[in-house]
Amino acid sequence: QVQLVESGGGSVQAGGSLTLSCAASGHTASTASMYCMVWFRQAPGKEREGVAYIYTGGGWAYYVDPVKERFAIYQDKAKNTLYLQMNNLKPEDSAMYYCAARLGWSSNNCAANLGPGWYNSWGQGTQVTVSS
């Protein structure tokens, strides 16, 4: 398992932008490019949902429909950090956002495992609040 620490949450008005960061540590250099990583979010009373996924080896990223064209997931390998750029935020984007990871070995494994139960490393979460 790896250790994940999120940051960057906050309160913004609708239409604004935020960038979340997820600093990763505890992985080996030989497997750093074989992880499935994801940003989940959970609003009060709702199930945890994945919004953006990436394979650290490159070549695959996936977004759920509500955030397509507004969110972008990307990584800085030199900093061992995953990001989520969120633009044109809406009140319905308000939630606790969690970074998660699991050694996946291939992008096919990432694509086949989108639910929260498969991921075994989690950050503590960062709150995003969007006001109308």
Side-chain angles (χ1 to χ4, degrees):
Q1 296 184 359
V2 297
Q3 291 74 53
L4 304 172
V5 179
E6 302 101 330
S7 61
S11 297
V12 297
Q13 291 190 330
S17 298
L18 280 174
T19 300
L20 307 182
S21 301
C22 173
S25 62
H27 55 279
T28 65
S30 62
T31 60
S33 294
M34 299 180 184
Y35 276 81
C36 305
M37 298 194 74
V38 55
W39 286 97
F40 285 95
R41 67 185 181 187
Q42 188 168 20
K46 294 188 177 181
E47 293 187 355
R48 190 168 296 191
E49 63 169 348
V51 297
Y53 301 77
I54 194 169
Y55 177 58
T56 59
W60 183 79
Y62 174 76
Y63 301 88
V64 295
D65 285 345
V67 308
K68 282 181 179 177
E69 308 301 329
R70 299 190 298 121
F71 289 12
I73 188 170
Y74 61 98
Q75 59 179 331
D76 184 330
K77 291 186 176 182
K79 295 182 178 179
N80 291 320
T81 301
L82 179 74
Y83 299 93
L84 184 68
Q85 173 68 43
M86 305 185 294
N87 299 321
N88 190 22
L89 282 161
K90 303 176 180 181
E92 52 264 40
D93 294 318
S94 297
M96 185 71 78
Y97 282 71
Y98 299 90
C99 172
R102 177 166 176 164
L103 188 59
W105 302 104
S106 75
S107 59
N108 287 340
N109 281 341
C110 302
N113 293 282
L114 302 181
W118 186 75
Y119 288 83
N120 58 8
S121 296
W122 290 83
Q124 81 289 352
T126 186
Q127 179 69 40
V128 172
T129 303
V130 185
S131 58
S132 57

